[in-house]
Amino acid sequence: MVAEPDGFEDRKPLSDEAHSAFTPPLGVERPPVPEDDQPTSEFAIPDGLSAEPPTETERSAFGTPGGTPAGTGSRQSPPAFTPAHGVPLVGLTKEAPWQDRMRTLLRMPVGDRPVPETVQRPDDDGPAVPRVLDLTLRIGELLLAGGEGAEDVEAAMFAVSRAYGLDRCEPNVTFTLLSISHQPSLVEDPVTASRTVRRRGTDYTRLSAVYRLIDDITTEDTDVTLEEAYRRLAEIRRNRHPYPGWALTVASGVLAGSASVLVGGGLVVFVAAALGAMLGDRLAWVFAGRGMPEFYQFVVAAMPPAGMGVALTLLSAAAQWEVRPSAVITGGLFALLPGRALVAGVQDGLTGYYITASARLLEVMYFFIAIVIGVLIVLYLGVQLDAQLNPDAALHTAERPVVQILAAVVLSFAFAILLQQERSTVLMVSLNGGVAWTVYAAMHDTGDISPVAATAIAAGLVGLFGQLFSRYQFASALPYVTAAIGPLLPGSSTYFGLLGIAQNNLDRGLASLSKAAALALAIAVGVNLGGEISRLFLRVPGAGRASSRRAAKRTRGF
């Protein structure tokens, strides 16, 4: 037997399967593997590129200047998109009214909102979430029922919930439903509550009281516990209206009479328009007491003023004396046109609350159709009785500047009484209405400017002054705006449009109704634009009231 060299057993394979047939023999170098046969990943970094992030990152053309914050690393957004920190955020100082601060927060993304600064001291166990949500909904219900816009209602609900220490709250307002959702943390289930608005009533005194309650809740200097807030809210709901029923009826008559003088009527026309409006108001009260819907209340309320105008036309033809019956019907329409609902509906649409805006405008359309039905029934009967109703009378309006300005002031005064405003605001809103009519008459009658443009500018001044007046009182702007737009309402255009339809002159009637719709939209857009301008560019009166508030951490100046 031939002896094997030392170490041979360590080098020989244990079996034939221990090596491949393509393995080179021992002592022969292995050839290099071709580059094409190297197994590589499709996501491998090619030669010449570094895995380190570049020091100067590429940013979007719309990003903020100044570079990218440090520490972004691999989490940095792709260069093709604007990063989150590149989107500018709207900021307000803590001296701004709570309405502006809450509106700004509502327009922010949820992740960018600052941590709430708890104004009212909660209990030892933290804020009582169900009670805070219920209080928030009850406050929002009173505001929505009083005619406030959807954005203002959400801002008020948001302010109350944050004042009591609830973070991550999302209020939601539609035409008849309010809801609010609160998520305690990212791992806990959200708590949601809702409330339905069943009845609506115009009472701006109650609306102002609710705003004072919200202002006290959102101010550190005033300690308002949940029990105190509930007590004050119950008192607000129990308070009676500031004016009795007979005063509202008289105010309706004065409003219609002033409107008739505004479009050229005299003393006889004033009395006739006032009597027709008061009779219509009483009939509407009777129908309301019987539980009839508001649609039929508007139908019967529109019939007496139209009937008074037709009767005055027949009497003037028999006695052969000069009178303006069209001014009687026009004055009666001024007391019925839903200007408040129209302004609120357009405002909701301009601020992005399209569902609520659609519902409000649909309500305005139904009320307008009710007025059309009531007036057309009477006008059709008048045409059958050969009443000489002259549609060309709209072209012969007498210009009496002093009398018309006084009539506009009285009209706004009566409108403020109908809206149940506080006595301290009636004089201010009456003067605001006089200014609105003066601007409109100066632009339209003297400057020969389009009535739509003149109406929009005058309504813009109403919205501007209304916002300033409300900020002096830290209250709602509605009491300072709604009554002041009364002299600008398209009563005469509406009447002559209905008269053209009743006389089978559809072209003239539809043209006049289109003009009335354009004037109404001009009023609503002008009021909203004036309010936005005041919030953007004008300094807040009385801003030093909140200057002593402590700025909490992580509030970005709020």
Side-chain angles (χ1 to χ4, degrees):
M1 179 178 292
V2 180
E4 296 179 355
D6 295 339
F8 182 79
E9 293 182 355
D10 298 335
R11 297 194 301 268
K12 74 176 182 178
L14 300 177
S15 64
D16 294 338
E17 297 177 356
H19 64 86
S20 170
F22 299 98
T23 303
L26 296 176
V28 179
E29 296 184 359
R30 298 186 180 186
V33 181
E35 292 185 5
D36 296 339
D37 294 341
Q38 290 183 359
T40 59
S41 171
E42 296 180 2
F43 302 98
I45 300 176
D47 294 338
L49 295 182
S50 175
E52 297 295 330
T55 56
E56 184 66 25
T57 58
E58 183 180 356
R59 292 178 284 108
S60 169
F62 300 96
T64 55
T68 307
T72 55
S74 61
R75 295 184 180 181
Q76 184 180 3
S77 300
F81 301 96
T82 302
H85 56 266
V87 178
L89 297 177
V90 180
L92 288 174
T93 60
K94 63 181 181 180
E95 289 83 7
W98 63 265
Q99 295 98 321
D100 290 347
R101 290 186 284 118
M102 294 304 112
R103 188 181 291 108
T104 302
L105 290 178
L106 282 174
R107 295 176 181 178
M108 283 184 180
V110 179
D112 295 333
R113 293 174 183 170
V115 176
E117 178 182 352
T118 304
V119 177
Q120 302 300 330
R121 184 174 52 193
D123 299 333
D124 295 336
D125 298 333
V129 175
R131 297 194 66 193
V132 172
L133 296 183
D134 180 70
L135 176 66
T136 302
L137 288 174
R138 291 178 183 273
I139 290 177
E141 178 190 10
L142 288 180
L143 294 178
L144 187 62
E148 274 288 5
E151 187 178 34
D152 294 326
V153 176
E154 283 195 2
M157 297 171 63
F158 199 62
V160 173
S161 61
R162 288 178 68 89
Y164 284 105
L166 295 188
D167 193 10
R168 292 181 294 274
C169 281
E170 284 296 327
N172 187 23
V173 175
T174 57
F175 185 57
T176 57
L177 181 66
L178 301 97
S179 63
I180 185 169
S181 179
H182 166 64
Q183 189 172 10
S185 65
L186 297 178
V187 296
E188 296 182 66
D189 296 333
V191 180
T192 303
S194 61
R195 196 171 182 88
T196 303
V197 178
R198 299 292 183 184
R199 298 185 60 184
R200 299 176 182 274
T202 303
D203 189 345
Y204 284 174
T205 300
R206 177 180 295 177
L207 192 69
S208 300
V210 176
Y211 263 82
R212 283 194 293 269
L213 174 60
I214 300 172
D215 188 49
D216 290 340
I217 291 176
T218 56
T219 304
E220 284 187 350
D221 300 336
T222 307
D223 187 14
V224 182
T225 62
L226 283 175
E227 288 74 13
E228 176 68 16
Y230 269 107
R231 185 189 63 80
R232 291 179 56 179
L233 195 62
E235 291 179 354
I236 293 173
R237 299 179 70 96
R238 285 196 303 265
N239 279 348
R240 301 185 62 182
H241 299 306
Y243 308 104
W246 64 266
L248 300 180
T249 302
V250 172
S252 177
V254 173
L255 190 155
S258 302
S260 65
V261 174
L262 201 63
V263 294
L267 180 61
V268 176
V269 171
F270 178 92
V271 175
L275 291 177
M278 288 190 290
L279 181 58
D281 181 78
R282 286 293 91 189
L283 287 177
W285 275 97
V286 171
F287 270 58
R290 299 296 185 271
M292 297 293 290
E294 285 186 294
F295 181 86
Y296 301 105
Q297 297 176 30
F298 272 82
V299 171
V300 298
M303 295 176 71
M308 194 68 68
V310 171
L312 198 61
T313 301
L314 295 175
L315 289 176
S316 63
Q320 295 183 354
W321 51 296
E322 290 293 332
V323 73
R324 293 180 59 89
S326 60
V328 177
I329 305 177
T330 300
L333 292 178
F334 266 84
L336 296 176
L337 292 177
R340 172 182 57 86
L342 176 67
V343 172
V346 174
Q347 179 181 357
D348 288 341
L350 294 176
T351 52
Y353 295 83
Y354 301 114
I355 296 177
T356 307
S358 301
R360 288 186 189 271
L361 294 178
L362 186 62
E363 180 188 41
V364 171
M365 186 187 72
Y366 271 104
F367 290 163
F368 188 77
I369 292 175
I371 297 172
V372 168
I373 292 174
V375 174
L376 279 181
I377 291 174
V378 178
L379 291 181
Y380 181 75
L381 294 176
V383 171
Q384 299 304 314
L385 294 174
D386 294 331
Q388 300 300 319
L389 298 169
N390 185 15
D392 295 330
L395 305 177
H396 307 289
T397 302
E399 294 184 6
R400 301 171 295 175
V402 177
V403 175
Q404 288 178 326
I405 292 174
L406 292 177
V409 173
V410 175
L411 190 153
S412 300
F413 177 85
F415 205 170
I417 300 298
L418 284 177
L419 294 174
Q420 303 279 1
Q421 292 191 196
E422 292 180 309
R423 292 178 174 86
S424 60
T425 65
V426 171
L427 179 59
M428 192 68 69
V429 74
S430 301
L431 296 178
N432 198 10
V435 171
W437 176 259
T438 302
V439 172
Y440 168 79
M443 297 182 64
H444 175 56
D445 297 337
T446 305
D448 292 331
I449 298 178
S450 167
V452 177
T455 301
I457 295 175
L461 290 178
V462 169
L464 181 64
F465 293 154
Q467 284 289 337
L468 291 179
F469 294 153
S470 67
R471 292 184 179 210
Y472 274 113
Q473 302 295 330
F474 289 86
S476 171
L478 284 181
Y480 301 94
V481 170
T482 307
I485 65 174
L488 303 176
L489 292 176
S492 58
S493 299
T494 304
Y495 161 67
F496 288 109
L498 299 179
L499 180 59
I501 295 175
Q503 294 178 339
N504 203 22
N505 193 343
L506 296 181
D507 293 339
R508 175 178 290 181
L510 293 179
S512 186
L513 289 179
S514 300
K515 178 182 176 182
L519 291 173
L521 290 177
I523 292 173
V525 174
V527 169
N528 180 266
L529 182 60
E532 293 294 334
I533 290 176
S534 68
R535 282 194 288 263
L536 285 176
F537 301 108
L538 298 182
R539 186 174 180 84
V540 181
R545 171 178 175 179
S547 60
S548 60
R549 288 185 57 185
R550 174 179 53 86
K553 295 180 179 179
R554 300 176 60 189
T555 58
R556 299 182 184 178
F558 288 91

